[in-house]
């Protein structure tokens, strides 16, 4: 059952962007920078720091330029930011980003709701963005959202997922993050999608998984992805997250929970698990709520029982 497990896995931390984008409480720049620094101190080596979108779309990330320009870049850490169009790319360029991410859905309706474009038009737009980004020396990652279900269309045909995935790879995207935007995916479904894409010619190095835990299946789905040899897992500190254009979507799978799973399975991530709860607790306090990570809740309870500070 576990013969194909990878020895090493990359954690791609999305908390500072995907995690914070839907929060009503807007954290100050200093808090965001401290959050990113703390995650890097804990061993995170790939991290999405913000999104260069119009502040009217995502008010919680209106400070994207200040976050990106004030951040202290560390050697050996890959910092990325989401961009929706050429204007966003220009902002990311001025901010000194070496990597960007683009995003679209396997669902036609979600594309129209989220980025105000049809699937075809979105691909036309991104063709220009990716080409220009690569000319500027940037790496480009891609998100395919609504892979396992859509808040507007319900089920999404596999053919849509394969079409969008192949189209983005053909544009020059080096890695695809397959998103369960509304958290409806189940292990058999995850296996079918991943096996289909691998059979269609995509490689293990081109695929990452991005699960939301709306219905409690994110870790089970992560386990299936690992069993199939996937080596990049998107996660968010504390389980922060949610898409403003996907009604009912809850947070991403928590980074702490994923690292605990990986440690227990003997898979190296390079992340120090016991450094994460303190960061989650602090960010939760700033947001005025307890974050949903199950590992952090257990860790905090154990600390309280033994009288040791988190």
């Amino acid at each position: 059952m576990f013969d194909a497990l990878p020895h090493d896995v990359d954690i791609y931390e999305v908390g500072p962007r995907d995690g914070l984008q839907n929060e009503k409480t807007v954290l100050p720049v200093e808090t965001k920078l401290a959050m990113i620094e703390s995650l890097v101190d804990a061993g995170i080596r790939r991290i999405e720091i913000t999104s260069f979108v119009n502040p009217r779309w995502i008010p919680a990330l209106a400070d994207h330029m200040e976050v990106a320009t004030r951040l202290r870049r560390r050697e050996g850490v890959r910092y990325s930011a989401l961009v929706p169009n050429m204007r966003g790319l220009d902002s990311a360029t001025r901010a000194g980003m070496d990597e960007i991410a683009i995003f679209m859905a396997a669902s036609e309706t979600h594309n129209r709701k989220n980025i105000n474009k049809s699937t075809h038009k979105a691909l036309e737009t991104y063709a220009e963005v990716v080409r220009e980004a690569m000319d500027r020396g940037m790496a480009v990652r891609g998100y395919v959202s609504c892979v396992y279900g859509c808040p507007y269309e319900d089920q999404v045909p596999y053919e849509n997922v394969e079409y969008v995935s192949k189209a983005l790879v053909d544009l020059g995207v080096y890695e695809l993050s397959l998103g369960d935007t509304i958290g409806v995916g189940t292990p058999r479904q995850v296996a079918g999608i991943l096996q289909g894409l691998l059979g269609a010619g995509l490689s293990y190095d081109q695929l990452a998984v991005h699960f939301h835990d709306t219905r409690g299946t994110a870790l089970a789905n992560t386990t299936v992805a690992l069993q199939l040899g996937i080596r990049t897992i998107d996660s968010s500190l504390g389980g922060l997250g949610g898409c403003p254009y996907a009604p009912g979507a809850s947070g991403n799978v928590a980074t702490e929970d994923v690292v605990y799973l990986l440690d227990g399975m003997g898979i190296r991530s390079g992340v120090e698990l016991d450094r994460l709860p303190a960061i989650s607790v602090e960010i939760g306090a700033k947001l005025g709520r307890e974050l949903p990570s199950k590992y952090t809740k257990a860790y905090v309870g154990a600390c309280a029982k033994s009288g040791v500070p988190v």
Side-chain angles (χ1 to χ4, degrees), residues 55-77:
R56 288 177 298 179
W57 294 5
I58 311 289
L61 303 180
D63 55 8
H64 47 244
M65 184 61 73
E66 189 174 1
V67 169
T69 54
R70 287 182 55 186
L71 181 66
R72 180 169 64 96
R73 311 289 173 93
R74 310 267 198 100
E75 187 175 350
V77 179

Side-chain angles (χ1 to χ4, degrees), residues 248-268:
S250 65
N252 298 276
V253 65
T255 301
E256 306 94 294
D257 299 356
V258 173
V259 175
Y260 177 79
L261 177 72
L262 295 174
D263 286 355
M265 298 174 78
I267 301 172
R268 294 185 295 267

Side-chain angles (χ1 to χ4, degrees), residues 236-239 254-257 280 290-298:
S236 177
L237 175 74
T255 301
E256 306 94 294
D257 299 356
S280 286
E290 182 182 52
L291 301 188
S293 165
K294 294 176 177 63
Y295 179 83
T296 289
K297 289 180 180 180

Side-chain angles (χ1 to χ4, degrees), residues 72-143:
R72 180 169 64 96
R73 311 289 173 93
R74 310 267 198 100
E75 187 175 350
V77 179
R78 296 175 65 176
Y79 302 93
S80 185
L82 206 66
V83 304
N85 48 35
M86 286 298 299
R87 184 175 180 179
L89 175 62
D90 288 340
S91 295
T93 302
R94 291 195 301 273
M97 299 302 302
D98 296 321
E99 178 174 312
I100 62 163
I102 59 175
F103 56 99
M104 63 181 297
S107 154
E108 178 75 19
T109 307
H110 194 270
N111 282 326
R112 292 183 181 275
K113 295 276 189 180
N114 190 22
I115 54 179
N116 199 30
K117 291 181 175 67
S118 67
T119 299
H120 177 73
K121 189 64 178 177
L123 286 170
E124 283 187 347
T125 299
Y126 286 138
E128 181 184 9
V129 172
V130 174
R131 181 173 58 251
E132 183 61 29
M134 293 175 69
D135 285 346
R136 298 178 189 185
M138 295 178 176
V140 184
R141 193 180 200 240
Y143 286 99

